[in-house]
Amino acid sequence: RKDKLGDKMKEFMHKYDKNADGKIEMAELAQILPTEENFLLCFRQHVGSSAEFMEAWRRYDTDRSGYIEANELKGFLSDLLKKANRPYDEPKLQEYTQTILRMFDMNGDGKLGLSEMSRLLPVQENFLLKFQGMKLSSEEFNAIFAFYDKDGSGFIDEHELDALLKDLYEKNKKEMSIQQLTNYRRSIMSLSDGGRLYRKELEIVLCSEPPV
């Protein structure tokens, strides 16, 4: 009921709005969330764009497998924070490294996947969230990538991506405006390396569901 909801809201604000300004600020919100979400919320304030994220990622994922090794994580985080011009000290970097290892290397195999690590990005920059509800199976992706990668180079360019996206929309029986095409292309091209979209990185976007 509305009256009970109103009472609950007042109780909520009284408990968490520490400075009594009528707003729940980031630091106040962090107290409410589970530990993992609390960490992500705070860390995302230190991360720049998806393009900066991928530039740092490629330095360590040299074989383009979609994974980096756990022992490379500290260097990756250091590069990521430098690109976003975020100051940090060694103890804080160590804390970030250990926390992310606990969160993302659940099976202890020493590998950290791009799809999971994308959770470090602010929501508006997370490339996996752009294509929810339009995912391909591995078989479908292999067929469509082979069609556009005619020379077998292992990557496609921006023009081939446009055609691929249109095919993807037709497959899902959805209409796409020029603005949507532009926005989706921009989101995916942020993953590119000098205009080249490599197979594994594109597969992660078009086949992987965003981790929860």
Side-chain angles (χ1 to χ4, degrees):
R1 291 173 52 185
K2 287 185 179 180
D3 53 347
K4 287 189 176 182
L5 179 60
D7 290 341
K8 286 289 185 186
M9 287 297 293
K10 288 177 184 176
E11 181 182 335
F12 179 85
M13 293 299 290
H14 177 72
K15 184 174 181 180
Y16 294 108
D17 183 18
K18 301 299 184 184
N19 60 4
D21 66 351
K23 299 176 183 178
I24 299 294
E25 297 173 358
M26 190 71 75
E28 295 166 336
L29 179 59
Q31 299 176 47
I32 307 167
L33 297 170
T35 304
E36 184 174 311
E37 291 303 321
N38 184 334
F39 172 80
L40 290 173
L41 183 70
C42 295
F43 188 85
R44 284 168 184 154
Q45 298 177 75
H46 303 297
V47 180
S49 67
S50 55
E52 291 174 350
F53 180 93
M54 287 304 302
E55 189 176 341
W57 178 267
R58 282 195 197 91
R59 183 175 175 187
Y60 297 93
D61 181 19
T62 53
D63 62 354
R64 301 191 182 281
S65 65
Y67 292 90
I68 63 172
E69 302 295 325
N71 60 9
E72 297 171 324
L73 176 61
K74 188 175 179 180
F76 167 71
L77 294 177
S78 176
D79 286 358
L80 195 60
L81 294 170
K82 285 176 184 174
K83 287 181 182 301
N85 294 316
R86 296 290 186 174
Y88 64 89
D89 55 24
E90 185 63 24
K92 181 58 70 176
L93 181 61
Q94 189 64 29
E95 178 189 332
Y96 289 154
T97 302
Q98 293 305 315
T99 302
I100 290 172
L101 276 175
R102 285 196 303 270
M103 288 170 57
F104 296 148
D105 187 19
M106 300 293 288
N107 61 2
D109 67 353
K111 293 184 180 295
L112 298 158
L114 176 58
S115 59
E116 288 186 320
M117 291 286 283
S118 69
R119 293 175 66 195
L120 298 176
L121 285 165
V123 172
Q124 69 273 17
E125 290 287 335
N126 191 326
F127 38 80
L128 292 187
L129 296 177
K130 308 283 186 181
F131 294 89
Q132 280 181 294
M134 289 202 312
K135 297 299 181 181
L136 295 169
S137 68
S138 294
E139 292 76 14
E140 289 170 328
F141 174 80
N142 288 336
I144 201 169
F145 190 89
F147 179 78
Y148 290 105
D149 180 26
K150 295 186 184 302
D151 61 358
S153 62
F155 64 83
I156 62 174
D157 61 25
E158 188 170 1
H159 300 297
E160 292 166 330
L161 175 63
D162 283 353
L164 187 154
L165 287 175
K166 288 174 183 174
D167 281 355
L168 180 59
Y169 260 72
E170 288 175 8
K171 172 190 172 296
N172 286 273
K173 297 181 171 57
K174 294 184 178 183
E175 295 182 1
M176 178 168 53
S177 66
I178 296 297
Q179 187 60 48
Q180 283 175 312
L181 176 62
T182 301
N183 290 341
Y184 286 138
R185 180 204 298 138
R186 186 182 301 120
S187 295
I188 295 186
M189 288 307 294
S190 69
L191 303 176
S192 72
D193 183 6
R196 296 176 173 183
L197 278 165
Y198 285 86
R199 182 190 191 93
K200 190 62 184 181
E201 292 160 353
L202 188 58
E203 182 179 7
I204 287 170
V205 174
L206 297 180
C207 297
S208 301
E209 292 294 341
V212 293

